Amino acid sequence: MAIILRLDRIMADRKISLNELSAKVGISNVNLSNLKTGKVKAIRFSTLDAICKVLECQPGDILEYKEDE
């Protein structure tokens, strides 16, 4: 897939754990872990909005486009 999730990088920069972010965003640890590891095919805008609010970042900080080779 050409879209890469960089949630792990932003979480490390902000020094926030998976459990803490999960509680603040209101999604399960399992779903957040799947997002963090890129094992998802889609993300709801409401979830992306909540993550960006908590991490004080832009969607472009979390999502990266890389052209398939």
Side-chain angles (χ1 to χ4, degrees):
M1 183 190 300
I3 303 294
I4 300 167
L5 289 165
R6 298 291 184 198
L7 183 58
D8 55 342
R9 182 188 304 165
I10 301 299
M11 288 175 62
D13 289 347
R14 303 295 193 275
K15 295 180 174 61
I16 189 168
S17 70
L18 186 74
N19 290 336
E20 186 179 354
L21 184 60
S22 172
K24 289 182 177 183
V25 170
I27 63 174
S28 71
N29 284 351
V30 172
N31 286 338
L32 190 59
S33 179
N34 286 337
L35 277 173
K36 185 178 168 188
T37 58
K39 295 179 181 174
V40 295
K41 297 287 183 196
I43 182 171
R44 291 178 187 251
F45 282 139
S46 59
T47 302
L48 185 59
D49 177 65
I51 290 170
C52 288
K53 281 181 184 173
V54 171
L55 296 177
E56 297 178 351
C57 67
Q58 294 294 313
D61 297 330
I62 297 172
L63 303 171
E64 180 181 322
Y65 175 77
K66 184 175 181 184
E67 194 170 334
D68 287 334
E69 297 176 5

